[in-house]
């Protein structure tokens, strides 16, 4: 997709301009030649799923309607059934023709018969016509985010959380206009819809959604970029990686690696052509997606309906949508190379090519030396999805059904049913996520300790569990004695609590306690239930000095 896409300047009619600006106030647009890293916008866990698709239309086609062009660009999405939409975003790619060309993009979303005007955004700098550089938010979750880069490559991301309809067709129309005397090309690369939705009949899913617009190019040169899926990844039965590119060319190689090891001890941020290995003939195949040409102007044939099939079989000029659940090595699937043992250890690396002839550069069809990679390649989206995760927390459990929390105080030798006053709805909501919003209780009886107990219903068969790992986050505070907290797990075989972790930081601050069991798992599960107790370190004194416990978040991870 490296042709010089230019057309002659056309003046927008007053009627067209008036109708366009009636939709909403325009927003200006950002630009930088090398672009914007593909970085995380949202991540988390949900009982439900992630829909990602390009609709029923794909590939570069006209979006302009002024000057007798053939726009607008329309595509339709069949969004699955669910209980509610947690987060949704629409990504529209616009070809400008040159970095200095400018114009406007107007997008609407018709969801179940309700038309939503998503608004106008400015493509380029129409105020001066001198440069594409302009002020505009990027990575913004509320207003449209506009990423301009390269030779007029624009990506616009809209927040459509409150607009998308589940179990329905969602129809998107994108219209572009030029700003004279420049001549915005105005064609649309493609439109991608991503929806995070709750569905209580589905399994638990962990996800990361990363966006940006990197200009991998031979001019700078900028040969690779890294996108990170930070935090701790949980065990899962299925994992897949979805990526979207603009401007890829079918006859120019490029590469995509997931968690390819470095020969440095630092980080994936120091990747280079030497320390990633480029061992395409053996071990690095397990980390490589789709051999040597991911951005080949094709899309997965089934991704329009939200599935993931590793079958990029449909022609799609200048636009690539690929979903991978397997790697280049037939012995490995994506799940096999997800790192669940260390935080911040999962990442994908995009390369525009490889220096096969050893001349120190990655040559493209725009250079005289030959074709070793893409001249320009724009990764704009990466979605990592882990399905059927073995995670239990109160954002995924239903209080009173498969997860319980109890409060108040305990003595020196509490039983598995103490304390026994259940949290109220407000308190349950405070322990769903680690957000410094805590459920708080204190003692009123001498010799007692402020405590919270958590009872969790385990779905996995005990015989199939190799490890259980518990995390508690909160504060243990005392009016006068030792601050801190202790975390226990109940052993039903010995009928006693066993200490997992403790902390006595003074003065009291929010801390994280962790602990795990790797043997005799059946001793800690009774009739499918596991009991965790956290109490403050010091007892209520005879002078009325209280013991306090504050829970921010509690989590159980099971390793099958």
């Amino acid at each position: 997709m490296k042709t010089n896409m230019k057309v002659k300047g056309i003046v927008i009619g007053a009627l067209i301009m008036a109708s366009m600006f009636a939709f909403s106030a325009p927003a200006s647009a950002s630009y930088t030649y090398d672009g914007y890293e593909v970085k995380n916008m949202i991540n988390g866990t949900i009982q439900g799923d992630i829909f990602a698709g390009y609709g029923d239309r794909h590939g570069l086609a006209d979006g302009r309607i002024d000057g007798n062009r053939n726009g607008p660009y329309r595509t339709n999405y069949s969004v699955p059934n669910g209980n509610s939409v947690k987060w949704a975003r629409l990504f529209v790619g616009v070809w400008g023709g040159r970095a200095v060309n400018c114009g406007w993009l107007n997008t609407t979303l018709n969801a179940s018969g309700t038309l939503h005007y998503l608004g106008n955004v400015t493509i380029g700098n129409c105020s001066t016509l001198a440069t594409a550089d302009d002020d505009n938010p990027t990575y913004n979750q509320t207003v449209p985010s506009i990423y301009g880069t390269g030779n007029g490559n624009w990506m616009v991301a809209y927040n459509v959380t409150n607009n998308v309809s589940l179990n329905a067709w969602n129809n998107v129309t994108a219209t572009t206009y030029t700003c004279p005397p420049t001549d915005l090309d105005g064609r649309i690369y493609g439109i991608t819809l991503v929806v995070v939705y709750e569905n209580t009949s589905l399994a638990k899913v962990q996800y990361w959604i990363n966006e940006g617009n990197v200009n991998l190019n031979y001019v700078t040169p900028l040969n690779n970029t890294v996108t990170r899926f930070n935090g701790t990844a949980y065990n899962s039965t299925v994992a897949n990686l979805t990526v979207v590119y603009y401007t890829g060319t079918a006859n120019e190689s490029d590469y995509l690696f997931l968690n390819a090891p470095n020969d440095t001890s630092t980080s994936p941020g120091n990747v280079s052509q030497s320390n990633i290995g480029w061992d395409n003939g053996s071990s690095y195949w397990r980390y490589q997606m789709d051999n040597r040409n991911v951005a080949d102007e094709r899309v997965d044939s089934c991704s329009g309906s939200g599935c993931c099939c590793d079958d990029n079989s449909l022609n799609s000029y200048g636009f690539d949508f690929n979903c991978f659940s397997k790697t280049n090595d037939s012995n490995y699937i994506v799940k096999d190379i997800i790192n669940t043992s260390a935080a911040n250890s999962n990442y994908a690396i995009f390369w525009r090519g490889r220096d096969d002839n050893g001349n120190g550069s990655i040559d493209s069809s725009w250079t005289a030396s030959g074709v070793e990679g893409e001249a320009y390649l724009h990764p704009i989206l990466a979605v990592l999805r882990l399905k059927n995760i073995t995670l239990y927390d109160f954002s995924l459990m239903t209080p009173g059904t498969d997860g319980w929390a109890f409060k108040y105080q305990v003595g020196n030798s509490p039983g598995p049913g103490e304390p026994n006053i259940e949290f109220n709805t407000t308190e349950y909501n405070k322990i769903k996520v680690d957000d410094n919003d805590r459920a708080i209780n204190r003692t009123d009886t001498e010799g007692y300790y402020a405590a919270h107990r958590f009872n969790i219903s385990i779905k996995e068969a005990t015989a199939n569990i190799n490890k259980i790992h518990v995390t508690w986050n909160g504060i243990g505070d005392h009016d006068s004695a030792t601050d801190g907290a202790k975390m226990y797990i109940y052993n039903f075989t010995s009928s006693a609590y066993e200490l997992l972790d403790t902390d006595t930081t003074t003065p009291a601050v929010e801390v994280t306690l962790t602990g795990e069991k790797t043997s005799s798992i059946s001793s800690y599960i009774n009739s499918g239930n596991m009991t965790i107790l956290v109490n403050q370190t010091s007892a209520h004194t005879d002078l009325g000095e209280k013991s306090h416990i504050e829970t921010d978040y509690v989590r159980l991870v099971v390793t099958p």
Side-chain angles (χ1 to χ4, degrees):
M1 217 285 310
K2 306 301 186 294
T3 55
N4 187 10
M5 304 175 196
K6 296 183 181 179
V7 292
K8 295 181 179 179
I10 300 173
V11 177
I12 303 177
L15 180 61
I16 296 175
M17 289 288 289
S19 62
M20 179 180 70
F21 285 110
F23 292 153
S24 68
S28 56
S30 294
Y31 174 89
T32 178
Y33 185 78
D34 283 345
Y36 302 83
E37 67 172 310
V38 180
K39 73 176 185 179
N40 186 250
M41 293 297 290
I42 186 174
N43 65 85
T45 57
I46 194 168
Q47 185 168 3
D49 212 343
I50 314 301
F51 170 88
Y54 51 80
D56 57 7
R57 188 175 187 182
H58 49 84
L60 196 74
D62 214 338
R64 273 181 58 181
I65 61 172
D66 55 332
N68 297 316
R69 304 293 281 274
N70 295 320
Y73 191 106
R74 293 186 174 93
T75 187
N76 307 292
Y77 306 86
S78 179
V79 180
N81 191 22
N83 302 107
S84 63
V85 175
K86 179 177 181 180
W87 186 91
R89 203 146 168 92
L90 191 71
F91 303 89
V92 183
V94 179
W95 170 236
R98 298 182 305 157
V100 295
N101 289 351
C102 62
W104 295 271
L105 166 70
N106 189 278
T107 307
T108 62
L109 169 63
N110 190 322
S112 298
T114 300
L115 185 62
H116 303 277
Y117 294 99
L118 304 182
N120 293 308
V121 295
T122 303
I123 300 298
N125 192 337
C126 293
S127 61
T128 67
L129 306 181
T131 173
D133 194 15
D134 200 354
D135 292 330
N136 192 82
T138 54
Y139 308 109
N140 190 295
Q141 298 275 19
T142 305
V143 302
S145 295
I146 300 96
Y147 307 83
T149 180
N151 299 309
N153 178 283
W154 299 88
M155 189 273 279
V156 179
Y158 293 96
N159 173 15
V160 292
T161 303
N162 297 323
N163 308 127
V164 167
S165 291
L166 295 172
N167 195 29
W169 281 97
N170 290 258
N171 319 113
V172 175
T173 300
T175 307
T176 56
Y177 311 82
T178 193
C179 176
T182 69
D183 188 16
L184 183 79
D185 182 286
R187 279 180 281 180
I188 304 295
Y189 289 111
I191 304 176
T192 303
L193 176 64
V194 179
V195 182
V196 181
Y197 63 97
E198 294 178 311
N199 186 326
T200 54
S201 67
L202 299 180
K204 291 175 285 189
V205 170
Q206 185 178 19
Y207 62 91
W208 292 259
I209 301 171
N210 297 5
E211 75 176 44
N213 185 1
V214 181
N215 178 27
L216 298 181
N217 67 88
Y218 75 99
V219 178
T220 302
L222 181 60
N223 296 329
N224 65 60
T225 188
V226 181
T227 188
R228 296 172 176 81
F229 309 105
N230 284 340
T232 300
Y234 304 123
N235 298 294
S236 64
T237 60
V238 176
N240 48 54
L241 174 66
T242 299
V243 294
V244 177
Y245 301 88
Y246 301 151
T247 77
T249 301
N251 62 356
E252 295 180 342
S253 298
D254 69 284
Y255 302 83
L256 173 64
F257 290 87
L258 179 64
N259 292 343
N262 301 313
D263 59 13
T264 69
S265 60
T266 51
S267 72
N270 289 335
V271 293
S272 69
Q273 190 156 326
S274 60
N275 68 26
I276 199 175
W278 289 113
D279 184 4
N280 290 306
S282 55
S283 61
Y284 276 77
W285 275 30
R286 77 184 64 177
Y287 309 105
Q288 186 178 340
M289 310 292 120
D290 200 29
N291 203 351
R292 303 185 181 193
N293 198 0
V294 185
D296 57 357
E297 301 184 296
R298 305 182 78 83
V299 296
D300 284 350
S301 63
C302 64
S303 55
S305 59
C307 56
C308 178
C309 60
D310 297 73
D311 176 21
N312 55 336
S313 58
L314 301 180
N315 292 326
S316 183
Y317 184 38
F319 174 77
D320 294 89
F321 184 109
N322 300 298
C323 183
F324 301 103
S325 57
K326 59 189 177 187
T327 78
N328 226 19
D329 188 328
S330 59
N331 296 315
Y332 291 87
I333 56 177
V334 169
K335 182 178 77 71
D336 294 335
I337 55 176
I338 298 297
N339 191 328
T340 60
S341 61
N344 306 328
S345 56
N346 292 288
Y347 55 91
I349 308 174
F350 302 90
W351 282 83
R352 71 175 185 91
R354 173 187 179 188
D355 182 15
D356 291 306
N357 62 18
N359 69 349
S361 65
I362 298 173
D363 302 321
S364 70
S365 58
W366 285 37
T367 61
S369 301
V371 178
E372 297 174 319
E374 297 273 1
Y376 302 100
L377 182 62
H378 293 259
I380 64 106
L381 186 66
V383 180
L384 181 63
R385 169 181 172 270
L386 310 182
K387 187 177 181 181
N388 298 320
I389 58 170
T390 53
L391 167 72
Y392 297 86
D393 69 11
F394 284 93
S395 71
L396 296 172
M397 297 183 296
T398 302
T401 300
D402 56 2
W404 297 260
F406 302 91
K407 62 187 177 184
Y408 192 23
Q409 60 186 12
V410 295
N412 282 317
S413 301
E418 300 177 74
N420 60 8
I421 300 175
E422 189 173 1
F423 277 29
N424 58 40
T425 300
T426 299
E427 291 167 326
Y428 271 123
N429 288 335
K430 289 178 179 292
I431 65 173
K432 286 183 176 182
V433 294
D434 184 0
D435 60 358
N436 293 315
D437 186 17
R438 295 177 287 268
I440 302 173
N441 293 104
R442 62 184 183 180
T443 56
D444 61 10
T445 306
E446 180 184 349
Y448 278 75
Y449 306 80
H452 286 161
R453 177 171 64 91
F454 310 98
N455 201 34
I456 299 171
S457 179
I458 306 298
K459 294 181 174 60
E460 289 77 16
T462 303
N464 296 333
I465 298 175
N466 283 334
K467 181 171 69 175
I468 50 180
H469 186 94
V470 183
T471 299
W472 176 87
N473 182 260
I475 298 176
D477 186 20
H478 197 279
D479 288 345
S480 64
T482 304
D483 293 327
K486 296 180 178 181
M487 182 173 69
Y488 301 85
I489 186 171
Y490 196 79
N491 186 319
F492 292 93
T493 300
S494 63
S495 300
Y497 279 106
E498 295 181 4
L499 182 67
L500 289 176
D501 198 8
T502 185
D503 182 89
T504 56
T505 300
T506 302
V509 296
E510 185 166 298
V511 298
T512 299
L513 303 181
T514 62
E516 62 184 35
K517 293 294 181 180
T518 58
S519 61
S520 303
I521 300 298
S522 60
S523 294
Y524 305 99
I525 301 175
N526 181 46
S527 300
N529 292 313
M530 185 179 301
T531 298
I532 306 298
L533 175 71
V534 181
N535 65 254
Q536 203 277 320
T537 302
S538 303
H540 189 106
T541 71
D542 57 356
L543 298 177
E545 295 159 328
K546 300 180 183 296
S547 170
H548 306 256
I549 193 73
E550 304 181 16
T551 295
D552 189 354
Y553 179 64
V554 62
R555 177 182 73 215
L556 171 69
V557 178
V558 173
T559 300

